[in-house]
Coordinates of all heavy atoms in Angstrom, one line a residue:
M159 N 142.9 -131.0 83.3 CA 142.4 -132.3 83.0 C 140.9 -132.3 82.7 O 140.2 -131.7 83.5 CB 142.7 -133.2 84.2 CG 142.2 -134.7 84.0 SD 142.5 -135.7 85.5 CE 144.2 -135.9 85.4
A160 N 140.5 -132.9 81.7 CA 139.1 -133.0 81.4 C 138.3 -133.9 82.4 O 138.8 -135.0 82.7 CB 138.9 -133.5 80.0
K161 N 137.3 -133.4 83.0 CA 136.6 -134.1 84.0 C 135.4 -134.9 83.4 O 135.3 -136.1 83.7 CB 136.0 -133.1 85.0 CG 135.5 -133.7 86.2 CD 135.3 -132.7 87.3 CE 134.1 -133.1 88.2 NZ 133.0 -132.2 88.2
D162 N 134.7 -134.3 82.5 CA 133.5 -135.0 81.9 C 133.7 -135.0 80.4 O 133.9 -133.9 79.9 CB 132.2 -134.3 82.3 CG 132.0 -134.3 83.8 OD1 132.0 -135.4 84.4 OD2 131.8 -133.2 84.3
V163 N 133.7 -136.1 79.8 CA 133.8 -136.2 78.4 C 132.5 -136.6 77.8 O 131.9 -137.6 78.1 CB 134.9 -137.2 78.0 CG1 135.0 -137.4 76.4 CG2 136.3 -136.8 78.5
L164 N 132.0 -135.7 76.9 CA 130.8 -136.0 76.2 C 131.1 -136.4 74.8 O 132.0 -135.8 74.1 CB 129.8 -134.8 76.1 CG 129.3 -134.4 77.5 CD1 128.5 -133.1 77.4 CD2 128.4 -135.5 78.1
C165 N 130.5 -137.4 74.2 CA 130.9 -137.9 72.9 C 129.6 -138.5 72.3 O 128.8 -139.2 72.9 CB 131.9 -139.0 73.1 SG 132.4 -139.8 71.5
E166 N 129.5 -138.3 71.0 CA 128.3 -138.9 70.3 C 128.6 -140.0 69.4 O 127.8 -140.5 68.6 CB 127.6 -137.8 69.5 CG 128.4 -137.1 68.4 CD 127.7 -136.1 67.6 OE1 126.8 -135.4 68.2 OE2 128.0 -135.8 66.5
V167 N 129.8 -140.5 69.5 CA 130.3 -141.7 68.7 C 129.8 -143.0 69.3 O 130.5 -143.7 70.0 CB 131.8 -141.7 68.5 CG1 132.2 -142.8 67.5 CG2 132.3 -140.3 68.0
N168 N 128.5 -143.3 69.1 CA 127.9 -144.4 69.8 C 128.3 -145.8 69.2 O 127.9 -146.8 69.7 CB 126.4 -144.3 69.8 CG 125.7 -144.2 68.5 OD1 126.4 -144.4 67.5 ND2 124.4 -144.0 68.5
S169 N 129.2 -145.8 68.2 CA 129.7 -147.1 67.7 C 131.0 -147.5 68.4 O 131.6 -148.5 68.2 CB 130.0 -147.0 66.2 OG 130.9 -145.9 65.9
C170 N 131.4 -146.6 69.4 CA 132.6 -146.9 70.2 C 132.2 -147.8 71.4 O 131.2 -147.5 72.0 CB 133.2 -145.6 70.6 SG 134.7 -145.8 71.7
K171 N 133.1 -148.7 71.8 CA 132.8 -149.6 72.9 C 132.8 -148.9 74.2 O 132.3 -149.4 75.2 CB 133.6 -150.8 72.9 CG 135.1 -150.6 73.4 CD 135.7 -152.0 73.5 CE 137.0 -151.9 74.2 NZ 137.7 -153.2 74.2
F172 N 133.4 -147.7 74.3 CA 133.4 -146.9 75.6 C 132.3 -145.9 75.7 O 132.1 -145.3 76.7 CB 134.7 -146.1 75.6 CG 136.0 -146.9 75.7 CD1 136.8 -147.0 74.6 CD2 136.3 -147.7 76.8 CE1 138.0 -147.8 74.6 CE2 137.4 -148.5 76.8 CZ 138.3 -148.5 75.8
W173 N 131.4 -145.9 74.6 CA 130.3 -145.0 74.6 C 129.2 -145.5 75.6 O 129.0 -146.7 75.7 CB 129.7 -144.8 73.2 CG 128.6 -143.8 73.1 CD1 128.7 -142.5 72.9 CD2 127.2 -144.1 73.3 NE1 127.5 -141.9 72.9 CE2 126.5 -142.8 73.1 CE3 126.5 -145.2 73.5 CZ2 125.2 -142.7 73.2 CZ3 125.1 -145.1 73.6 CH2 124.4 -143.9 73.4
A174 N 128.6 -144.5 76.3 CA 127.5 -144.9 77.2 C 126.3 -143.9 77.1 O 126.5 -142.8 76.6 CB 128.0 -144.9 78.7
A175 N 125.1 -144.4 77.5 CA 123.9 -143.6 77.3 C 124.1 -142.2 77.9 O 124.8 -142.0 78.9 CB 122.8 -144.3 78.0
G176 N 123.5 -141.2 77.2 CA 123.6 -139.8 77.6 C 124.9 -139.2 77.0 O 125.3 -138.1 77.4
N177 N 125.4 -139.8 75.9 CA 126.6 -139.3 75.3 C 127.8 -139.2 76.2 O 128.6 -138.2 76.2 CB 126.4 -138.0 74.6 CG 125.7 -138.2 73.2 OD1 125.6 -139.3 72.7 ND2 125.2 -137.1 72.6
N178 N 127.9 -140.2 77.1 CA 129.1 -140.2 78.0 C 130.2 -141.2 77.5 O 129.9 -142.2 76.8 CB 128.6 -140.7 79.4 CG 127.8 -139.6 80.1 OD1 128.2 -138.5 80.3 ND2 126.5 -140.0 80.4
C179 N 131.4 -140.9 77.9 CA 132.5 -141.7 77.6 C 133.0 -142.5 78.9 O 133.3 -141.9 79.9 CB 133.7 -140.9 77.1 SG 135.2 -141.8 76.8
N180 N 133.0 -143.8 78.8 CA 133.4 -144.6 80.0 C 134.9 -145.0 80.0 O 135.3 -145.7 80.9 CB 132.6 -145.9 80.0 CG 131.3 -145.7 80.7 OD1 131.1 -144.8 81.4 ND2 130.3 -146.7 80.5
A181 N 135.7 -144.5 79.1 CA 137.1 -144.8 79.1 C 137.7 -144.1 80.3 O 137.3 -143.0 80.7 CB 137.8 -144.3 77.8
S182 N 138.8 -144.7 80.9 CA 139.4 -144.1 82.1 C 140.2 -142.8 81.7 O 140.4 -141.9 82.5 CB 140.3 -145.1 82.8 OG 141.3 -145.6 81.9
S183 N 140.7 -142.8 80.4 CA 141.3 -141.6 79.9 C 141.1 -141.7 78.4 O 140.8 -142.8 77.8 CB 142.8 -141.5 80.2 OG 143.5 -142.6 79.7
I184 N 141.3 -140.6 77.7 CA 141.2 -140.6 76.2 C 142.4 -139.9 75.6 O 143.0 -139.0 76.3 CB 139.9 -140.0 75.7 CG1 139.8 -138.5 76.1 CG2 138.7 -140.8 76.1 CD1 138.7 -137.7 75.3
Y185 N 142.7 -140.2 74.4 CA 143.9 -139.6 73.7 C 143.3 -139.1 72.4 O 142.8 -139.8 71.6 CB 144.9 -140.8 73.5 CG 146.2 -140.3 72.8 CD1 146.7 -139.0 73.0 CD2 147.0 -141.2 72.1 CE1 147.9 -138.6 72.4 CE2 148.2 -140.8 71.5 CZ 148.6 -139.5 71.7 OH 149.8 -139.1 71.1
V186 N 143.5 -137.8 72.3 CA 143.0 -137.1 71.1 C 144.1 -136.6 70.2 O 145.1 -136.1 70.8 CB 142.1 -135.9 71.5 CG1 141.6 -135.1 70.2 CG2 140.9 -136.3 72.3
V187 N 144.1 -136.9 68.9 CA 145.2 -136.6 68.0 C 144.7 -135.7 66.9 O 143.5 -135.7 66.6 CB 145.8 -137.9 67.5 CG1 146.4 -138.7 68.6 CG2 144.8 -138.7 66.7
S188 N 145.6 -135.1 66.2 CA 145.3 -134.4 64.9 C 145.1 -135.5 63.9 O 145.9 -136.4 63.8 CB 146.4 -133.5 64.5 OG 146.7 -132.5 65.5
N189 N 144.1 -135.4 63.1 CA 143.9 -136.5 62.1 C 144.9 -136.4 61.0 O 145.4 -135.3 60.6 CB 142.4 -136.6 61.6 CG 141.9 -135.3 60.9 OD1 142.6 -134.5 60.4 ND2 140.6 -135.2 60.9
R190 N 145.3 -137.5 60.5 CA 146.4 -137.7 59.5 C 147.7 -137.0 59.9 O 148.5 -136.7 59.0 CB 145.9 -137.2 58.1 CG 144.7 -138.0 57.6 CD 144.3 -137.6 56.2 NE 142.9 -138.0 56.0 CZ 141.9 -137.2 56.0 NH1 142.1 -135.9 56.3 NH2 140.7 -137.6 55.8
G191 N 147.9 -136.8 61.1 CA 149.2 -136.2 61.6 C 149.4 -134.8 61.2 O 150.5 -134.2 61.4
K192 N 148.4 -134.1 60.6 CA 148.6 -132.7 60.2 C 148.2 -131.8 61.4 O 147.5 -132.2 62.3 CB 147.6 -132.4 59.1 CG 148.0 -133.1 57.8 CD 147.4 -132.5 56.6 CE 145.9 -132.7 56.5 NZ 145.4 -132.3 55.2
Q193 N 148.8 -130.6 61.4 CA 148.5 -129.6 62.5 C 147.0 -129.2 62.4 O 146.6 -128.7 61.3 CB 149.4 -128.4 62.4 CG 149.2 -127.5 63.6 CD 150.4 -126.6 63.8 OE1 151.4 -126.7 63.1 NE2 150.4 -125.8 64.8
A194 N 146.3 -129.4 63.4 CA 144.8 -129.1 63.4 C 144.6 -127.6 63.6 O 145.3 -127.0 64.4 CB 144.1 -129.9 64.5
S195 N 143.7 -127.1 62.8 CA 143.3 -125.7 63.0 C 141.8 -125.6 63.3 O 141.2 -124.5 63.5 CB 143.7 -124.8 61.9 OG 143.3 -125.3 60.7
H196 N 141.0 -126.7 63.2 CA 139.6 -126.8 63.5 C 139.3 -128.1 64.3 O 140.1 -129.1 64.1 CB 138.8 -126.8 62.2 CG 139.1 -125.6 61.3 ND1 138.5 -124.4 61.6 CD2 139.8 -125.5 60.2 CE1 138.9 -123.5 60.7 NE2 139.7 -124.2 59.8
S197 N 138.3 -128.1 65.0 CA 137.9 -129.3 65.8 C 137.7 -130.5 64.9 O 137.9 -131.6 65.2 CB 136.7 -129.0 66.7 OG 135.6 -128.6 65.9
E198 N 137.2 -130.2 63.7 CA 136.9 -131.3 62.7 C 138.2 -132.0 62.3 O 138.2 -133.1 61.7 CB 136.3 -130.7 61.4 CG 134.9 -130.2 61.6 CD 134.8 -128.8 62.1 OE1 135.9 -128.2 62.4 OE2 133.7 -128.3 62.2
E199 N 139.4 -131.4 62.6 CA 140.6 -132.0 62.3 C 141.3 -132.8 63.4 O 142.5 -133.1 63.4 CB 141.6 -130.9 61.7 CG 141.0 -130.3 60.4 CD 141.8 -129.1 60.0 OE1 142.6 -128.6 60.7 OE2 141.5 -128.6 58.9
T200 N 140.5 -133.1 64.4 CA 141.0 -133.9 65.5 C 140.2 -135.2 65.6 O 139.0 -135.3 65.2 CB 140.8 -133.2 66.9 OG1 139.5 -133.0 67.2 CG2 141.5 -131.8 66.8
D201 N 140.8 -136.2 66.2 CA 140.2 -137.6 66.3 C 140.5 -138.1 67.7 O 141.6 -137.9 68.2 CB 140.8 -138.5 65.3 CG 140.5 -138.2 63.8 OD1 139.4 -137.8 63.6 OD2 141.4 -138.2 63.0
C202 N 139.6 -139.0 68.1 CA 139.8 -139.7 69.4 C 140.6 -141.0 69.0 O 140.0 -141.9 68.4 CB 138.5 -140.0 70.1 SG 138.8 -141.0 71.6
K203 N 141.8 -141.1 69.5 CA 142.6 -142.4 69.2 C 142.2 -143.5 70.1 O 142.6 -144.7 69.9 CB 144.1 -142.0 69.3 CG 144.9 -143.1 68.6 CD 146.4 -142.6 68.5 CE 147.1 -143.6 67.7 NZ 148.5 -143.2 67.4
T204 N 141.5 -143.2 71.2 CA 141.1 -144.2 72.2 C 139.9 -145.0 71.6 O 139.6 -146.1 72.1 CB 140.7 -143.6 73.5 OG1 141.8 -142.8 73.9 CG2 140.4 -144.6 74.6
F205 N 139.2 -144.5 70.6 CA 138.1 -145.2 70.0 C 138.4 -146.7 69.7 O 139.4 -147.0 69.2 CB 137.7 -144.5 68.7 CG 136.7 -145.3 67.8 CD1 135.4 -145.1 68.0 CD2 137.1 -146.2 66.9 CE1 134.4 -145.8 67.3 CE2 136.2 -146.9 66.1 CZ 134.9 -146.7 66.3
E206 N 137.4 -147.5 70.1 CA 137.5 -149.0 69.7 C 136.1 -149.3 69.2 O 135.1 -149.0 69.9 CB 137.9 -149.8 70.8 CG 139.4 -149.7 71.2 CD 139.8 -150.7 72.2 OE1 139.3 -151.9 72.2 OE2 140.6 -150.3 73.1
S207 N 136.0 -149.9 68.1 CA 134.7 -150.3 67.5 C 134.0 -151.3 68.4 O 134.6 -152.2 68.9 CB 134.9 -150.8 66.1 OG 133.7 -151.2 65.6
K208 N 132.7 -151.1 68.5 CA 131.8 -152.1 69.3 C 131.8 -153.4 68.5 O 131.5 -154.5 69.1 CB 130.4 -151.6 69.4 CG 130.1 -150.7 70.6 CD 128.7 -150.4 70.6 CE 128.3 -149.3 71.5 NZ 127.0 -148.7 71.3
I209 N 131.9 -153.3 67.2 CA 131.7 -154.5 66.4 C 132.9 -155.4 66.3 O 134.0 -154.8 66.1 CB 131.2 -154.1 64.9 CG1 130.0 -153.2 65.1 CG2 131.0 -155.3 64.1 CD1 129.7 -152.3 63.8
Ligands
LIG372 S1 136.8 -143.4 73.6 FE1 136.7 -141.6 72.3 S2 135.3 -142.2 70.7 FE2 135.0 -143.6 72.4 S3 133.3 -142.8 73.6 FE3 135.2 -142.1 74.5 S4 135.6 -140.0 73.5 FE4 134.1 -141.2 72.3

């Protein structure tokens, strides 16, 4: 289980100063449903826009 989640997506409503994630849990998926072979091919599905 991931204990500390660092994230630089500061447009997310769960983002907090110091690049911390305040969500109680996060769900990470392969982007576009394809099998990921690089970190760039993963996305945080828990993301919610601040706006
Ligand atoms: S929910 Fe995902 S995108 Fe949002 S701050 Fe946490 S790790 Fe980053």
Side-chain angles (χ1 to χ4, degrees):
M159 179 184 286
K161 189 166 152 243
D162 299 307
V163 176
L164 294 175
C165 177
E166 62 180 26
V167 185
N168 61 7
S169 57
C170 177
K171 76 175 193 182
F172 297 111
W173 184 88
N177 280 348
N178 290 302
C179 173
N180 272 342
S182 56
S183 64
I184 61 166
Y185 183 27
V186 179
V187 298
S188 299
N189 59 24
R190 296 187 202 98
K192 295 199 287 190
Q193 185 158 4
S195 52
H196 303 283
S197 59
E198 291 84 357
E199 296 170 351
T200 65
D201 294 316
C202 178
K203 197 167 186 176
T204 307
F205 169 88
E206 287 185 38
S207 177
K208 271 184 193 168
I209 304 162

